[in-house]
Amino acid sequence: MELEALTKHLSYGRLAVACCALAVLCSTAAIAARYRSSRHPPPRHEHSHPIPYPNLELPLQVSGSQYEPLAWANVSGWSDDDHLAAYKAFRTSCKPIAAQQGAPADSKALGSSLRDPCRIAKGLELGDGVKAKEFFEQNFVPLRISRLGEDAGFVTGYYEPVLEGSRTQTDVYNVPVYRRPSNLFVRGKTQSSVGLPNGGAVYRKIGRRKLVPYCDRAQIEDGAIAGRGLELAWLKSQTDLLFAQIQGSARIKFEDGTTLRINYDAHNGYPYTAVGRALIDRGIIPKDQMSMQKIREWMEQNPDGANELRRSNRSYVFFRHVPLSDKDEAVGAQGVPLTPGRSIAVDKALHVYGTPFFIAGELPIDSEQSKTPFHRLMIAQDTGSAIVGPARADLYFGAGADAGKVSGRLRHNMQFVMLVPRGLDPVARGHRLPVPDERPSARIAKLFPQTDPQKDQPAANAADVPTAGIAKATAKDAANHAAQTPAAKDAASPAPAATTSVAQAAPVAEPVPLPVARPDIPQPEKRRYRRTRHHRDQ
């Protein structure tokens, strides 16, 4: 019995020791796990919290431009215009705008905002200039716009030439007018596409896969694509064809009295080189006397020089036949008939077709020396490869020799006022934008002094100090533009000491940055207790 009791006592003791050891191991494991969790916290889920400012759209942004909101009373010459004529041209542009569905393919400043005023104009058959003026004032806001760093825009003119031609090649008519070749390839386009872009890469397709640059003007004039049945008509001279290509359209009168209307369809991929600029740079024609008539006269008097000058412009334009009568006007890039004196060509990369522009200044309309006041509301309905910039326009004056004389002598600076739909009013949007936090007090500034980075850098020239405009661009864009202007070249020369000291004494203040978003602080999860009902044992 005593032996059995001793054996039971020893087994109980071993069991107690094992339990104690197990408890020690569990507590050690818990402490180690807690230590590891403190050194390596578990990955937390990142939640995107918005910054403490409302996510609002910025005011109107046109690349490389500066603009100034105006009141209608401050738009010079606004009341002198025939607003009914402008209203009719605007309604013509509204037809394709109303047919658009969804968001536009490319993002521009106005986007699809013209649909609202076009929807209103669709139901207004106005016959009074006063009511047409009220329509524009009630549905648009005026903005004076120009290229960044400039105070005015620039205009030229274009027209539709009327040329003599033949349907077949003769001794007199031996210059072909080509349609678009079948081996001309543009990415994203097919042969059924009407009106290929007037810029970008163009290739000549060889076989199924091989692509090479297309033939330039000299190669085409030497017969690179001759004999393939691409001739639409035949003209008297290469000068006639060049002017038709510059204008983008033409009317070809045949001996039987019929007329062939042709319009731009494609180009060969080379950038356009202005022959008038080349004549000015060579000192052949003074800049103040330059016109299309002067260019034509010089080419007719100098056939060898004209051949070399023409071939220096490697760009070549192909045409298509358009079924228009003699009474119809040429069709612009928007796909609507142009209105003489009301339609303009603009930079398609920046502006939306149908945008009204009020252009004001003086132009030589009556003669080369005249300064006719020009205050007219124009509608953007066309484009051109040489029309580049936010305040750059080509004014359409119609067809024929008289229109060619007027448009040929236009190279003038003018004031541009762009009419923006009220839904995009930049002043109203600007009032809703958040403002930065206030500057710190003087006491805080003393406790946390900041060094001026401009004092540690070498002194800058006066031309290197950026100017603040109403619409701001990036520093890189401003520097590139300043480097291209003659004023910047003059400013790059050594300046007097007095000018340098003034520039150093007026540093440009750094913009106050927006505060950083609130940190993501994880909140402890609340335990959910399940309510249970306890029943007493009966």
Side-chain angles (χ1 to χ4, degrees), residues 196-528:
L196 299 184
N198 59 0
V202 177
Y203 303 97
R204 180 164 56 94
K205 194 172 183 180
I206 302 178
R208 292 186 176 181
R209 296 183 178 180
K210 187 175 181 180
L211 299 176
V212 298
Y214 209 83
C215 307
D216 64 0
R217 176 177 292 275
Q219 294 171 330
I220 295 175
E221 289 184 358
D222 290 340
I225 61 175
R228 296 174 53 186
L230 300 175
E231 297 83 2
L232 289 171
W234 299 83
L235 301 178
K236 287 183 178 181
S237 67
Q238 292 286 355
T239 302
D240 287 346
L241 178 61
L242 175 64
F243 275 77
Q245 292 174 331
I246 293 175
Q247 304 304 319
S249 63
R251 305 184 184 195
I252 302 178
K253 295 282 188 179
F254 299 131
E255 294 181 353
D256 57 1
T258 59
T259 302
L260 176 68
R261 304 289 296 274
I262 59 175
N263 209 345
Y264 169 91
D265 193 35
H267 75 120
N268 63 341
Y270 292 91
Y272 169 74
T273 301
V275 294
R277 170 57 59 183
L279 291 175
I280 293 175
D281 295 340
R282 298 178 186 181
I284 298 176
I285 300 178
K287 183 178 180 179
D288 57 348
Q289 300 180 11
M290 175 55 63
S291 66
M292 293 183 185
Q293 287 73 28
K294 294 289 185 181
I295 297 174
R296 179 179 285 275
E297 291 174 2
W298 183 86
M299 286 186 168
E300 292 175 354
Q301 297 172 3
N302 301 273
D304 294 336
N307 184 62
E308 183 271 331
L309 178 65
R310 188 180 62 254
R311 292 182 175 220
S312 66
N313 174 31
R314 303 180 69 186
S315 175
Y316 195 92
V317 171
F318 302 99
F319 293 94
R320 72 178 186 273
H321 165 65
V322 287
L324 298 175
S325 66
D326 290 343
K327 298 180 180 180
D328 297 326
E329 291 292 338
V331 177
Q334 191 187 9
V336 299
L338 302 177
T339 303
R342 293 292 170 179
S343 299
I344 59 174
V346 296
D347 189 348
K348 183 183 177 182
L350 301 178
H351 298 299
V352 177
Y353 291 139
T355 304
F357 286 86
F358 187 75
I359 300 177
E362 294 180 344
L363 293 177
I365 302 296
D366 299 330
S367 65
E368 294 183 1
Q369 291 77 24
S370 65
K371 295 182 179 180
T372 307
F374 190 91
H375 306 96
R376 194 171 296 183
L377 184 60
M378 317 285 284
I379 311 299
Q381 297 175 333
D382 205 355
T383 189
S385 59
I387 312 302
V388 180
R392 175 72 173 92
D394 215 8
L395 314 184
Y396 178 70
F397 284 93
D402 293 338
K405 291 179 181 179
V406 175
S407 60
R409 52 179 178 250
L410 298 190
R411 295 180 57 88
H412 293 73
N413 294 324
M414 303 285 282
Q415 294 294 328
F416 278 65
V417 176
M418 182 171 67
L419 272 59
V420 178
R422 285 198 173 273
L424 293 182
D425 186 357
V427 177
R429 285 191 175 188
H431 289 324
R432 297 194 301 266
L433 285 177
V435 295
D437 291 345
E438 296 181 358
R439 291 179 178 272
S441 62
R443 180 180 178 184
I444 299 298
K446 289 181 180 180
L447 293 176
F448 302 94
Q450 297 181 358
T451 58
D452 187 0
Q454 294 186 357
K455 293 182 179 179
D456 300 334
Q457 298 177 356
N461 292 333
D464 297 333
V465 179
T467 57
I470 296 176
K472 299 182 179 179
T474 60
K476 182 178 180 181
D477 295 338
N480 292 339
H481 175 72
Q484 297 174 0
T485 56
K489 297 179 181 179
D490 299 338
S493 59
T499 305
T500 304
S501 62
V502 172
Q504 295 175 357
V508 179
E510 292 289 339
V512 180
L514 293 176
V516 185
R518 296 189 181 95
D520 188 6
I521 303 175
Q523 301 294 333
E525 296 183 1
K526 295 182 179 181
R527 291 188 177 182
R528 296 183 178 180

